[in-house]
Amino acid sequence: MAEHTNTNAIESLLWLDGLIKHLWLLHREGDPPHGPQGGLGAYISELVAESLEEELYAMRASSDVTSLRLVECTLGKVAPTLRGGRLLNSWTDLDTRHTFVTLELDADWETEGMSIVFSFKLSSLEHAKLPFTSIQVSNLALTGRALVTLELLPDFPFVGLLTFSFTEMPDLAFGVRPLQGIDLSSIPGLGAWVAHSAERSLAYYVHPSFYGYDLEALLCPECLLEREGRAAAAAAASGAA
């Protein structure tokens, strides 16, 4: 029995890992067929960009930095890889027959094609004559543990709402290089600022904070519309009765 249970757990983990990798690059309705990746990867890139913009807004108030802006933010084409996990809880909504499972998952993530580009100019006297500088953050390596709640549907596409949060701040490393302007070593503390900004951006997704994504709307938009239509019709019929 223990061996059978362990096999089921491994199969479930592989299924979920494969689902994440599929969703990461899945094109959403309206995306150009050969354009940037859509789906989960693009959505998380948008979330990271929003978090970084909040950090940049605070930095713009500093007297040492002017014209600070986020030029590009894409997390690339490689999804995180699940390397372990366990089921924490599950329950079923008897009205909808939807089952919700909460999992604790260990994941590694080494990005490919990630590019986060900042452009800025320093206003301090010692750097006042330096040109605008662009730096690129890439080659992210992240290891962490996450809490994931997944809604399981009785019909296609079989998955609905997904919520995600880190149990604690994950371990991360990345590379920083100049795209134009000056040698990074001439700006003491720049690397520390990038690391601090990355950590503060990740903090938005550490438990009890979380983000949610509607997988059903991504995988089968027409299914969601049909279900909403049936629910509206049932409500109307109930009201008429």
Side-chain angles (χ1 to χ4, degrees), residues 130-145:
L130 294 175
F132 276 87
T133 299
S134 293
I135 60 171
Q136 181 186 52
V137 180
S138 59
N139 301 324
L140 174 72
L142 182 149
T143 300
R145 176 169 292 175

Side-chain angles (χ1 to χ4, degrees), residues 7-26:
T7 300
N8 287 343
I10 293 173
E11 290 177 348
S12 299
L13 185 67
L14 291 174
W15 174 83
L16 186 56
D17 184 68
L19 176 66
I20 292 173
K21 287 177 168 54
H22 173 71
L23 294 174
W24 193 262
L25 294 176
L26 187 66

Side-chain angles (χ1 to χ4, degrees), residues 139-184:
N139 301 324
L140 174 72
L142 182 149
T143 300
R145 176 169 292 175
L147 290 174
V148 174
T149 297
L150 183 62
E151 179 185 16
L152 303 178
L153 310 179
D155 303 306
F156 182 83
F158 307 114
V159 288
L161 182 66
L162 178 146
T163 62
F164 163 93
S165 64
F166 291 110
T167 59
E168 59 185 5
M169 184 66 68
D171 296 326
L172 73 157
F174 48 83
V176 181
R177 69 183 183 93
L179 297 180
Q180 62 185 43
I182 60 176
D183 183 358
L184 293 183

